[in-house]
């Protein structure tokens, strides 16, 4: 009988486990999961839909177990310290990742996860939606970030730096600008640069009391060598430094310090820091690859690059939309080129510009080679003869067309863009604009400095050296399909660093920087969370 007691005891205990402890564990797990769900719901998430799903997926993968207790408690504190230390270098605000107070163990665990997740999301796809009014491609184009995977890797002890490299933009443009941010912060921390008082233009060869200030200003930004701060004479060395500064800021490099150059010189260093961080945010909105063949337009710089097989094959100046008709940022494609295009006048231009001109000059259609397409070509009615333009209201009642020809607003070539809101690239008969530093002059479309060269490159080798002759020999309107569809990116960069590390800045043409900086400030405010009383 004694020998049977251990077996009987073990059977009894086994039944106890099956009958009582298993339900107790299930109840405990369900209760923990309920608490986790409640903590996620109450957590101060910047993007509740995206971050809430990532947190639920993360804890579901852990079967509802805490991530940052026990041996991982010290790891959590180290990670939180690391993200606050690393945020500044990425153009992020460390205070955003301050850990809110939790009311209990489960709450605290979820809040640690939410804080780490927020940092990962901000670094991977940005803290602000890429809306067009802040220079993005549109809010719906925001990229994807696997937050649950990011948290899982950190909870497993994988290095934060390794995970940051995996999720942050790897473009050379982002890395150069990020390095430029460090230098700009150092300048701002050292007191920035002096402000140069207003006055007469500073011209090479003259003497002026403000020249020593100009020297110190250019030394601070690296345009003039250190040790050249003395002297009131505007000498040749200083003139070259001013030219370098002007080139970096998109100004005519004439060495004359007039109103525009003076305004750029007097932008504070901390304002340049904020401008750089805004542009770093735009990099985080970009697709992870532009492709080895693409066209990239920098709207703010009014410049276009064509990349072939990963290298820049062509650079040209462009004209972009004026402040009333901004060229939208967009991610689109080019698939065809129109030779000798006709121009169908947009309704907005007919209403706001052509109708007022017709009221002053009834022959404006004829002098501008415009036709009313509602009437037969060449008929008096197609030229608007007999119409009392002063009797017409605010809306132009006809459709207008400008036939192909040397005076056509689209010039000899038009490059069609897919789903582009009637925005396209084209030639122009007005070539003088390309000699100007300020080229925000169009109604939104992109005018090209060298459209024939672009056309030959896009159409392939068989068109090299032949396109201009073909256009002039055959004046009919024709559409040629490209051999391959080319990605086209219209982007808004007001700050970047070149291959030598030199920082370049451009004016905020459309106010996108201003709106983005405001949105970033709102996003950087640490989320507050009232104590819930849960444990």
């Amino acid at each position: 009988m004694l020998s049977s007691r251990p077996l009987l005891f073990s059977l009894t205990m086994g039944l106890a486990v099956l009958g009582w402890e298993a339900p107790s564990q299930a109840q405990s797990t369900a209760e923990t999961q309920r608490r986790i769900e409640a903590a996620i719901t109450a957590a101060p998430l910047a993007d509740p839909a995206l971050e809430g799903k990532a947190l639920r997926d993360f804890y579901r993968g852990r079967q509802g177990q805490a991530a940052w207790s026990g041996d991982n408690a010290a790891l959590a504190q180290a990670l939180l310290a690391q993200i606050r230390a690393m945020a500044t270098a990425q153009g992020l605000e460390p205070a955003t990742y301050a850990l809110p107070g939790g009311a209990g163990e489960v709450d605290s665990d979820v809040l640690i996860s939410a804080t780490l997740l927020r940092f990962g999301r901000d670094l991977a796809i940005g803290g602000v939606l890429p809306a067009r009014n802040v220079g993005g491609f549109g809010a719906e184009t925001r990229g994807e970030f696997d937050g649950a995977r990011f948290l899982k890797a950190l909870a497993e002890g994988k290095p934060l730096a390794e995970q940051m490299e995996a999720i942050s933009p790897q473009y050379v443009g982002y890395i150069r600008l990020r390095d430029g941010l460090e230098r700009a912060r150092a300048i701002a921390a050292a007191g920035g640069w002096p402000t140069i008082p207003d006055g007469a233009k500073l011209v090479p060869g003259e003497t002026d009391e403000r020249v020593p200030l100009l020297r110190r200003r250019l030394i601070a930004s690296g345009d003039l060598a250190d040790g050249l701060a003395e002297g009131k004479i505007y000498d040749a060395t200083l003139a070259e430094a001013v030219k370098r500064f002007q080139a970096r800021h998109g100004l005519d490099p004439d060495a004359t310090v007039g109103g525009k150059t003076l305004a750029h010189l007097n932008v504070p260093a901390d304002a340049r820091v904020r401008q750089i961080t805004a542009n770093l945010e735009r990099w985080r909105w970009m697709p992870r690859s532009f492709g080895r063949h693409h066209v990239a337009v920098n709207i703010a710089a009014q410049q276009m690059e064509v990349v072939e097989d990963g290298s820049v094959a062509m650079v040209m100046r462009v004209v972009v939309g004026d402040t009333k008709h901004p060229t939208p940022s967009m991610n689109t494609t080019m698939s065809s080129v129109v030779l000798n295009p006709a121009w169908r006048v947009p309704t907005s231009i007919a209403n706001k510009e052509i109708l007022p001109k017709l009221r002053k000059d009834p022959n404006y259609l004829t002098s501008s080679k415009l036709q009313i397409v509602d009437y037969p070509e060449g008929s008096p009615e197609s030229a608007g003869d007999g119409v009392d333009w002063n009797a017409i209201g605010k809306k132009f009642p006809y459709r207008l067309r400008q036939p192909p020809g040397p005076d056509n607003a689209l010039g000899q070539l038009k490059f069609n863009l897919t789903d582009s809101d009637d925005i396209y690239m084209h030639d122009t008969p007005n070539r003088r604009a390309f000699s100007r530093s300020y080229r925000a002059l169009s109604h939104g479309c992109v005018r090209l400095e060298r459209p024939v060269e672009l056309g030959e490159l896009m159409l392939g080798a068989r068109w090299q050296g032949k396109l201009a002759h073909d256009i002039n020999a055959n004046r009919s309107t024709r559409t040629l399909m490209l051999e391959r569809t080319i990605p086209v990116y219209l982007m808004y960069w007001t700050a970047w660093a070149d291959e030598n590390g030199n920082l370049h800045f451009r004016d905020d043409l459309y106010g996108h920087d201003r709106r983005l900086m405001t949105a970033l400030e709102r996003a950087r405010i640490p989320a507050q969370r009232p104590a819930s009383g849960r444990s």
Side-chain angles (χ1 to χ4, degrees), residues 323-530:
T323 56
K324 293 183 179 179
H325 310 91
T327 298
S329 303
M330 65 175 68
N331 176 356
T332 181
T333 58
M334 180 192 300
S335 57
S336 63
V337 181
V338 182
L339 279 53
N340 295 309
W343 180 43
R344 293 194 176 275
V345 181
T347 302
S348 59
I349 295 178
N351 290 339
K352 296 177 182 179
E353 299 183 27
I354 294 177
L355 184 55
K357 291 176 180 178
L358 281 167
R359 288 170 177 156
K360 295 179 180 178
D361 177 13
N363 296 316
Y364 178 77
L365 294 183
T366 300
S367 63
S368 301
K369 296 183 173 55
L370 293 168
Q371 301 170 349
I372 298 176
V373 299
D374 305 79
Y375 297 104
E377 185 174 350
S379 68
E381 292 82 2
S382 68
D385 290 358
V387 178
D388 183 359
W389 298 109
N390 290 300
I392 292 175
K394 295 182 179 180
K395 293 186 177 180
F396 194 84
Y398 307 108
R399 292 172 297 155
L400 288 176
R401 173 182 180 272
Q402 190 178 47
D407 298 322
N408 185 278
L410 304 183
Q412 295 181 312
L413 286 170
K414 170 187 171 184
F415 298 80
N416 288 324
L417 303 179
T418 307
D419 299 328
S420 61
D421 299 330
D422 208 26
I423 297 296
Y424 39 83
M425 299 178 178
H426 64 86
D427 184 16
T428 175
N430 181 9
R431 315 303 303 171
R432 292 174 305 208
F434 296 110
S435 64
R436 300 172 54 177
S437 59
Y438 184 85
R439 299 184 298 279
L441 305 167
S442 80
H443 283 81
C445 288
V446 178
R447 302 176 190 167
L448 303 167
E449 182 182 25
R450 303 196 307 279
V452 172
E453 290 183 33
L454 178 63
E456 290 180 346
L457 185 60
M458 294 294 98
L459 289 168
R462 67 189 183 93
W463 284 95
Q464 291 297 312
K466 301 176 182 178
L467 186 57
H469 177 268
D470 187 89
I471 290 170
N472 292 317
N474 182 351
R475 296 300 181 94
S476 64
T477 299
R478 290 165 289 155
T479 299
L480 304 179
M481 302 304 296
L482 305 187
E483 293 179 356
R484 63 187 181 203
T485 299
I486 303 294
V488 176
Y489 304 93
L490 306 185
M491 298 175 287
Y492 193 84
W493 303 118
T494 63
W496 69 92
D498 62 26
E499 62 275 12
N500 297 315
N502 298 313
L503 286 165
H504 294 249
F505 298 99
R506 292 297 184 269
D507 287 333
D508 184 17
L509 292 176
Y510 306 147
H512 293 341
D513 274 3
R514 173 175 48 80
R515 287 184 289 273
L516 178 54
M517 290 175 193
T518 299
L520 284 170
E521 286 300 319
R522 288 198 299 265
R524 286 167 180 164
I525 297 173
Q528 298 299 314
R529 177 182 185 280

Side-chain angles (χ1 to χ4, degrees), residues 194-198 202 210 213-215 217 257 262 265-266:
T195 299
I196 303 169
D198 199 4
L202 293 172
R210 296 171 294 162
L213 278 176
L214 177 61
R215 290 178 179 277
R217 165 64 182 85
V257 181
L262 187 64
L265 285 165
N266 286 338

Side-chain angles (χ1 to χ4, degrees), residues 134-375:
V134 291
F137 293 150
E140 71 283 356
T141 66
R142 191 177 205 176
E144 295 183 356
F145 167 56
D146 192 339
R149 182 177 180 180
F150 176 72
L151 290 174
K152 181 175 183 291
L154 295 181
E156 291 173 350
K158 294 180 180 177
L160 176 61
E162 177 184 294
Q163 299 311 306
M164 288 173 60
E165 184 175 0
I167 63 174
S168 65
Q170 295 304 303
Y171 289 112
V172 67
Y174 178 81
I175 295 168
R176 287 174 181 168
L177 188 58
R178 186 186 62 193
D179 294 342
L181 173 64
E182 182 178 358
R183 297 193 299 275
R185 285 193 191 280
I187 293 171
W193 40 65
T195 299
I196 303 169
D198 199 4
K201 290 182 178 179
L202 293 172
V203 181
E206 295 185 351
T207 300
D208 194 290
E209 295 294 327
R210 296 171 294 162
V211 168
L213 278 176
L214 177 61
R215 290 178 179 277
R216 293 202 294 274
R217 165 64 182 85
L218 294 173
I219 289 172
S221 58
D223 295 290
L224 182 65
D226 201 0
L228 298 176
E230 301 303 322
K232 297 179 181 179
I233 299 175
Y234 190 166
D235 59 23
T237 302
L238 181 58
E240 289 303 312
V242 170
K243 287 181 180 179
R244 281 191 289 273
F245 176 87
Q246 290 171 325
R248 290 195 302 111
H249 292 77
L251 303 167
D252 291 325
D254 57 8
T256 297
V257 181
K260 288 184 179 179
T261 300
L262 187 64
H264 283 81
L265 285 165
N266 286 338
V267 173
D270 57 357
R272 291 306 189 195
V273 168
R274 291 193 297 273
Q275 189 173 356
I276 292 170
T277 58
N279 282 270
L280 286 172
E281 175 76 358
R282 291 193 182 106
W283 275 112
R284 293 188 273 269
W285 299 337
M286 292 296 112
R288 283 300 176 250
S289 173
F290 288 142
R292 294 189 63 79
H293 308 277
H294 65 267
V295 174
V297 174
N298 183 346
I299 299 168
Q302 301 140 68
Q303 182 170 294
M304 185 190 76
E305 291 183 352
V306 181
V307 174
E308 286 285 304
D309 199 25
S311 299
V312 176
M314 182 181 296
V315 179
M316 72 176 70
R317 291 184 165 199
V318 298
V319 171
V320 298
D322 61 28
T323 56
K324 293 183 179 179
H325 310 91
T327 298
S329 303
M330 65 175 68
N331 176 356
T332 181
T333 58
M334 180 192 300
S335 57
S336 63
V337 181
V338 182
L339 279 53
N340 295 309
W343 180 43
R344 293 194 176 275
V345 181
T347 302
S348 59
I349 295 178
N351 290 339
K352 296 177 182 179
E353 299 183 27
I354 294 177
L355 184 55
K357 291 176 180 178
L358 281 167
R359 288 170 177 156
K360 295 179 180 178
D361 177 13
N363 296 316
Y364 178 77
L365 294 183
T366 300
S367 63
S368 301
K369 296 183 173 55
L370 293 168
Q371 301 170 349
I372 298 176
V373 299
D374 305 79
Y375 297 104

